[in-house]
Amino acid sequence: MKGQVVKVISNLFTVKVNDELYGCRARGRFRKDNIVPVVGDNVVIDIDDNIILDILPRRNILKRPVIANVDMAIIVVSTKHPNLDLNLLDKLISLVTYNDIEPVICLTKLDLLKENELNVVNNVRKYYEMIGIKVFDNTEVTSIKRVIKDKVVVLAGQTGAGKSSLINKLDQGLNVKTDEISKALGRGKHTTRHVELYEIGEGLIADTPGFSALDLDGITRLELRDTFVEFSKYECRFRDCIHNKEKECGVKKAVSDQEILKSRYNNYLLFLEELEKWK
Ligand code: ZN
């Protein structure tokens, strides 16, 4: 039977097959081969012996916490207290995209904005939508539930951005108190190897505080460039143009023509600089 690992505590794996949960152990061979099933893994299990027989190929794997086959990351972005941080947003979008995960933006605290501030945020919102990223605000619960349906989802974003209140809106039964999301979602149990996906709406959600702390280490300049998906539609003289100091660069022209959001390009240059530091 095929299923998905939804919970790991030490060497005990909870595997969801259709809507049934099975407590399983991993077959001995895995340990010998140094492979361990992780949350999110699609596995083949023997339901008579409660053994995981095989791990199917992974689409991606995150390290903190360890989750495989993540489909989507909801990047929770506060627009006030803390203020809109486009640098962090762009970095998270790049990291998420690099890991072959769909980024979705969820704006919070829009009710705290004055009209002129709201205009600024709406323009930013339009830009990200234009480049193909879904953007919601945290009152659009029905729409968010629709996009997370049948997906393995992680939440990313700074402390205080409103991750826990988003979880509460999506599933009122959970009643996660502000800043207690970690505890409620099992992150308080660092001593045992405990990772769990929670059924929220019809999606499976894990909390990944790790994403905000992740840096761009290990990404090449061209890979970074390609995470800024809107750049690819402009033509440059050089095919390996990284849109920095090159001549006849279509991306730089698009920035000066205000087709590309200036903050996006500036953040890109900052991330490029960060990559140089690791060399
Ligand atoms: Zn270029």
Side-chain angles (χ1 to χ4, degrees):
M1 295 279 266
K2 276 186 194 170
Q4 188 165 36
V5 178
V6 292
K7 182 172 168 181
V8 177
I9 300 177
S10 298
N11 295 318
L12 257 185
F13 304 89
T14 305
V15 179
K16 189 169 171 242
V17 181
N18 301 321
D19 278 328
E20 301 283 324
L21 296 176
Y22 296 89
C24 295
R25 298 203 171 265
R27 114 194 231 184
R29 178 174 66 85
F30 292 132
R31 222 165 307 141
K32 213 177 76 206
D33 295 345
N34 225 353
I35 309 168
V36 188
V38 301
V39 162
D41 265 332
N42 295 309
V43 293
V44 178
I45 63 167
D46 179 331
I47 51 171
D48 296 324
D49 292 335
N50 288 49
I51 295 278
I52 296 176
L53 299 173
D54 201 7
I55 305 169
L56 301 179
R58 291 167 182 158
R59 166 185 169 174
N60 53 36
I61 183 159
L62 299 182
K63 295 203 176 84
R64 284 176 298 175
V66 183
I67 304 177
N69 302 316
V70 179
D71 299 299
M72 181 178 285
I74 299 182
I75 302 171
V76 183
V77 182
S78 169
T79 56
K80 190 103 182 174
H81 307 307
N83 290 340
L84 186 63
D85 183 346
L86 292 178
N87 182 283
L88 178 64
L89 173 62
D90 286 334
K91 185 175 266 190
L92 288 171
I93 290 172
S94 282
L95 288 166
V96 164
T97 305
Y98 174 71
N99 283 286
D100 191 23
I101 297 169
E102 180 187 356
V104 170
I105 298 171
C106 178
L107 301 170
T108 65
K109 308 189 192 179
L110 289 167
D111 54 317
L112 300 181
L113 298 180
K114 298 191 190 96
E115 200 184 329
N116 59 328
E117 294 170 320
L118 193 59
N119 288 338
V120 172
V121 170
N122 279 335
N123 282 334
V124 167
R125 173 177 184 155
K126 272 185 212 142
Y127 181 81
Y128 287 94
E129 286 175 333
M130 197 254 301
I131 64 170
I133 298 175
K134 295 185 185 85
V135 186
F136 300 101
D137 70 62
N138 61 347
T139 62
E140 296 173 278
V141 176
T142 313
S143 306
I144 297 172
K145 277 187 179 165
R146 200 178 305 135
V147 300
I148 66 173
K149 189 174 186 295
D150 298 328
K151 300 257 166 49
V152 173
V153 181
V154 297
L155 292 183
Q158 70 214 108
T159 315
K163 293 194 288 279
S164 48
S165 72
L166 175 63
I167 292 277
N168 281 336
K169 283 180 174 164
L170 293 172
D171 188 339
Q172 292 175 341
L174 273 182
N175 192 24
V176 181
K177 291 198 186 97
T178 312
D179 295 329
E180 286 194 356
I181 183 172
S182 302
K183 225 160 96 192
L185 293 188
R187 305 291 310 153
K189 302 165 184 173
H190 279 302
T191 44
T192 54
R193 205 166 69 87
H194 181 142
V195 184
E196 187 163 355
L197 292 171
Y198 292 82
E199 275 196 84
I200 291 175
E202 289 174 70
L204 290 169
I205 297 194
D207 183 26
T208 58
F211 240 127
S212 57
L214 265 176
D215 50 39
L216 298 165
D217 199 0
I219 302 183
T220 68
R221 295 190 300 179
L222 289 177
E223 284 167 341
L224 174 69
R225 179 195 69 179
D226 294 342
T227 65
F228 282 73
V229 290
E230 71 267 43
F231 291 179
S232 66
K233 73 175 197 204
Y234 299 99
E235 276 187 31
C236 303
R237 178 172 171 188
F238 305 105
R239 194 199 290 194
D240 59 351
C241 184
I242 55 161
H243 322 310
N244 186 10
K245 300 199 168 113
E246 296 91 340
K247 286 187 180 133
E248 293 174 51
C249 169
V251 166
K252 281 195 282 183
K253 183 173 181 302
V255 175
S256 64
D257 292 346
Q258 296 185 315
E259 286 179 35
I260 289 175
L261 199 65
K262 184 100 181 145
S263 61
R264 279 282 282 173
Y265 181 68
N266 287 342
N267 286 332
Y268 168 70
L269 292 182
L270 287 171
F271 302 156
L272 263 187
E273 256 176 61
E274 281 185 38
L275 297 189
E276 295 298 322
K277 275 187 243 155
W278 280 299
K279 280 194 177 161

